[in-house]
Amino acid sequence: MTTFFESKVMHVFAKKILGCLIVASLNMIPSSPSLAQTQADNAAMKKAQEYYKAGDVARLDKRYADAVQMLLKAYELIPESSDLPYNIACLHALRGAKEDAFKWLDVAIGAGYLNVDHMLKDSDFDSLHDDPRWQKSVDKTRQEAARQARLWSSPVWDSAYVEQLSEDERVAGLSKFWSEVKYNFVYTDKLLDLDWDVVYLRYLPKVRAAKSTAEYYKILMEMCALLQDGHTNVMAPAILYNDVWGTVPLRAALMEDKVIITDVLDPALRERGILPGHQILLADGQDIKTYVQKTVAPYNSASTPQDMDNRLYNYLLLLGDLDTPVKILVADPQGKTLSIDIKRINTATRQKLATPRPAFNWRMLANNVAYVELNSFGDNTAAKEYIKAYAEIAKAKAIIFDVRKNGGGDTNVGYSVLRTLGTPAFDGSHAATRDYKPALRAWGKKQAMHDFADNKNQADPARAYRGTVMVLTSAATYSAAEDFAVAFDSMKRGLIIGEPTGGSTGQPLMISMPGGGSARICTKKDTYIDGKAFVGVGVQPGKLIHTKIDDFRAGKDTQLNAALAEIEKIK
């Protein structure tokens, strides 16, 4: 499927056209663009969007020649775009105009389109594959991509894992992470408050003294955690999570300020008396919460306390040396305690033991209420399956969407579901990024932010559910699932029930690190459309309902039952 009209391509229309002034003297500092120029630029962006949307309609109707004309008009307004020429090439290929397709593909490559992997998968170009020019275009794109990669991500960073990286590699990796954060991390106030250069100097001797690659990455992870952002992380080489570090085969959650086991992944532990609903009291003789705060929390980046808790007790429970068992003390519902040594398992084993959760699932509850689980937006499965089942779901008097276990993915997947809720065009979130211009820094200008255009999400013309709608959220509602919650909240379509979301979304920039590790850095700041923050705090439910321990132990869903009770109040 082509990405021709994906929303991320719409960002091209959010780029500001810079009115450059000719400087007569090096000592002169150019003034900012005039208000009239800014208004003209905004008008051009708006007009380009109109052409873009008209092209979308024509493309869906398979009127490819008309779509080309619309995009050509948009391209006249946005001549610096590489995505528009690429999409024009797609349209020409779809209509069988090979000469024009190759011409515009060449324009796109020249303008900076470098995603050769997408080119090869893009079915729009199927008609070009038997032409000798196709391979030439692919080779040209690949060569230019490799050349451009030297600026930001040279292959020199793709070094293999060894138990001890050289001091030069360790220092270079620290320096790379520090500099990429300095220039790309969107929350600059955090960099100012920390004094990021001071942090660098503080961690430099620690990195030099690291006695192993494992210790080195723990140091980098600790440094990264100071940024307190869930979309900014240092990821250690995979081999460390398979051969050096491990977690216990349990999942847990904080309920009423107690650490309660929610899942036992290893059947052997169940046979030894460890069951969901038991409370973990101690780990290696220490209070469980004190233990994880000392041993795990310092190395984890999180945007909110609830995000951190979810990481500590769910994903990374009792993370530590793989070969060192951990002794835990648990209490059953009657208060009877059991002390047990648990062997840690690696990531691969944990994944095998965990029961896969489908991206989409639904069932009709009593009183004609549809319960719809949207567990992942990692691909389009949730939206596709929902649309497939929509006719049956829409017979319900109310729908409860559950995104409590949704860790995110593609924001558009959630929007595809929201488009069916019978409202006019709705807002998503507002996005901005840093607008760093070296010359303006040299002239003493404060760094500005670049605001992306706010685009309305159009309603589904074929589906318009009019019944009651509720959404369930938790701290594990994350990233693109939070974008879903923000949009739903803004739609005023129904009530959000449950716990605040994880409070972290954005666009990560991925970078390679020495020894097979990597890092990601959040480059995009998201808020409600009116500027209200949810990153760092979480999307707040309209009705705050925490899971009750007694309900969990009895197999009852506290939040789902609260939603059902709210529905029954509606006449």
Side-chain angles (χ1 to χ4, degrees):
M1 179 179 177
T2 180
T3 60
F4 180 57
F5 284 105
E6 285 183 354
S7 65
K8 63 184 179 182
V9 177
M10 289 295 287
H11 287 169
V12 70
F13 297 112
K15 293 179 179 177
K16 296 178 181 177
I17 299 176
L18 301 176
C20 298
L21 301 176
I22 298 176
V23 185
S25 166
L26 290 178
N27 294 322
M28 292 176 60
I29 298 177
S31 59
S32 299
S34 67
L35 177 61
Q37 180 64 52
T38 300
Q39 290 174 336
D41 291 346
N42 289 340
M45 294 301 101
K46 185 175 180 180
K47 193 65 178 175
Q49 280 187 307
E50 291 174 4
Y51 288 137
Y52 182 90
K53 291 175 181 176
D56 189 11
V57 173
R59 194 265 308 184
L60 291 171
D61 290 342
K62 298 186 178 181
R63 293 183 288 108
Y64 300 129
D66 291 342
V68 166
Q69 293 306 310
M70 291 298 101
L71 262 69
L72 284 172
K73 291 180 178 180
Y75 181 63
E76 290 176 5
L77 296 167
I78 317 289
E80 76 274 21
S81 169
S82 63
D83 293 306
L84 280 170
Y86 177 88
N87 292 326
I88 292 169
C90 288
L91 288 169
H92 281 307
L94 287 169
R95 73 186 191 93
K98 285 189 177 183
E99 293 297 327
D100 288 330
F102 281 114
K103 169 191 168 183
W104 281 97
L105 187 55
D106 198 54
V107 172
I109 297 167
Y113 187 88
L114 304 176
N115 192 346
V116 68
D117 290 335
H118 177 69
M119 277 178 59
L120 292 170
K121 296 175 185 175
D122 197 336
S123 60
D124 288 355
F125 289 136
D126 284 354
S127 64
L128 306 183
H129 290 180
D130 60 356
D131 191 299
R133 290 172 292 183
W134 171 252
Q135 190 58 48
K136 290 181 181 179
S137 296
V138 170
D139 291 343
K140 183 178 178 180
T141 308
R142 185 175 280 123
Q143 289 165 8
E144 184 58 22
R147 179 175 176 271
Q148 291 298 325
R150 294 174 203 151
L151 180 62
W152 301 115
S153 187
S154 169
V156 73
W157 298 106
D158 299 329
S159 58
Y161 173 82
V162 291
E163 289 189 7
Q164 173 63 308
L165 291 165
S166 69
E167 182 176 324
D168 285 348
E169 284 183 291
R170 298 197 304 273
V171 171
L174 168 71
S175 301
K176 183 181 183 183
F177 177 68
W178 161 79
S179 63
E180 291 283 15
V181 167
K182 187 179 182 73
Y183 289 98
N184 297 299
F185 186 57
V186 72
Y187 299 105
T188 52
D189 282 350
K190 291 186 178 182
L191 300 181
L192 295 173
D193 292 341
L194 286 169
D195 194 334
W196 192 237
D197 291 351
V198 169
V199 171
Y200 172 79
L201 291 174
R202 192 165 77 237
Y203 276 83
L204 188 55
K206 295 182 181 183
V207 160
R208 286 197 171 115
K211 294 180 175 59
S212 66
T213 298
E215 183 180 335
Y216 168 64
Y217 268 95
K218 286 184 72 174
I219 291 167
L220 292 181
M221 291 160 71
E222 180 184 82
M223 177 182 176
C224 182
L226 299 175
L227 296 169
Q228 296 182 328
D229 182 72
H231 275 66
T232 303
N233 314 89
V234 170
M235 282 79 75
I239 193 170
L240 292 178
Y241 288 101
N242 286 325
D243 294 354
V244 180
W245 301 331
T247 58
V248 295
L250 300 170
R251 295 187 189 279
L254 274 187
M255 298 180 196
E256 300 177 44
D257 205 35
K258 297 178 180 178
V259 180
I260 303 298
I261 296 173
T262 58
D263 195 9
V264 179
L265 304 179
D266 185 354
L269 287 180
R270 289 177 179 266
E271 293 175 6
R272 295 172 67 186
I274 305 298
L275 298 172
H278 287 190
Q279 180 185 353
I280 304 177
L281 301 173
L282 303 177
D284 285 342
Q286 298 182 61
D287 173 79
I288 178 65
K289 288 185 284 185
T290 301
Y291 181 90
V292 299
Q293 287 299 323
K294 287 181 179 178
T295 62
V296 186
Y299 310 105
N300 280 279
S301 303
S303 298
T304 61
Q306 66 267 25
D307 179 15
M308 179 63 83
D309 288 341
N310 187 49
R311 293 168 188 266
L312 297 181
Y313 301 113
N314 184 2
Y315 303 131
L316 301 170
L317 184 60
L318 299 174
L319 178 70
D321 291 336
L322 182 62
D323 295 331
T324 305
V326 58
K327 182 184 290 292
I328 65 171
L329 181 69
V330 301
D332 69 12
Q334 289 72 45
K336 182 181 178 181
T337 60
L338 172 65
S339 180
I340 186 172
D341 285 335
I342 297 184
K343 184 178 180 181
R344 291 185 171 99
I345 58 174
N346 63 20
T347 298
T349 303
R350 187 180 177 91
Q351 289 174 343
K352 289 178 183 177
L353 291 173
T355 302
R357 193 165 46 239
F360 170 84
N361 192 31
W362 87 281
R363 65 183 187 273
M364 196 69 78
L365 304 179
N367 298 322
N368 197 29
V369 175
Y371 171 66
V372 178
E373 291 181 85
L374 303 172
N375 292 321
S376 173
F377 295 152
D379 58 27
N380 201 39
T381 300
K384 256 192 334 187
E385 294 301 314
Y386 169 75
I387 295 300
K388 192 186 298 183
Y390 175 81
E392 289 300 312
I393 293 172
K395 294 176 183 178
K397 72 174 183 181
I399 300 175
I400 299 173
F401 290 109
D402 189 346
V403 291
R404 287 177 294 177
K405 297 177 182 177
N406 191 323
D410 184 346
T411 300
N412 285 321
V413 178
Y415 286 174
S416 295
V417 174
L418 294 176
R419 289 187 179 104
T420 69
L421 299 186
T423 62
F426 60 90
D427 292 315
S429 53
H430 176 72
T433 192
R434 290 168 62 172
D435 196 13
Y436 178 66
K437 295 183 176 63
L440 296 187
R441 176 183 166 194
W443 293 323
K445 297 286 187 179
K446 181 180 178 181
Q447 181 183 286
M449 293 293 287
H450 168 74
D451 292 283
F452 292 108
D454 295 323
N455 300 304
K456 292 282 187 179
N457 297 283
Q458 301 301 315
D460 186 330
R463 301 168 187 85
Y465 180 74
R466 305 292 181 184
T468 300
V469 183
M470 304 274 180
V471 170
L472 304 181
T473 61
S474 76
T477 306
Y478 205 68
S479 195
E482 293 186 270
D483 298 337
F484 175 92
V486 167
F488 179 78
D489 195 18
S490 301
M491 292 167 76
K492 306 301 180 189
R493 185 62 179 81
L495 192 61
I496 296 177
I497 293 177
E499 299 167 330
T501 63
S504 181
T505 193
Q507 177 58 55
L509 170 69
M510 303 301 298
I511 63 172
S512 299
M513 297 289 285
S518 62
R520 66 177 192 168
I521 298 159
C522 188
T523 63
K524 182 167 68 73
K525 177 182 180 180
D526 289 270
T527 65
Y528 278 80
I529 206 75
D530 62 0
K532 177 184 172 183
F534 68 93
V535 173
V537 290
V539 178
Q540 302 300 308
K543 192 173 185 66
L544 179 64
I545 301 289
H546 292 290
T547 299
K548 295 179 180 177
I549 296 174
D550 287 345
D551 281 351
F552 178 78
R553 287 171 171 168
K556 299 176 182 177
D557 189 325
T558 309
Q559 289 133 350
L560 177 58
N561 287 338
L564 291 170
E566 289 295 322
I567 291 169
E568 289 306 306
K569 293 178 184 177
I570 300 171
K571 302 298 181 182

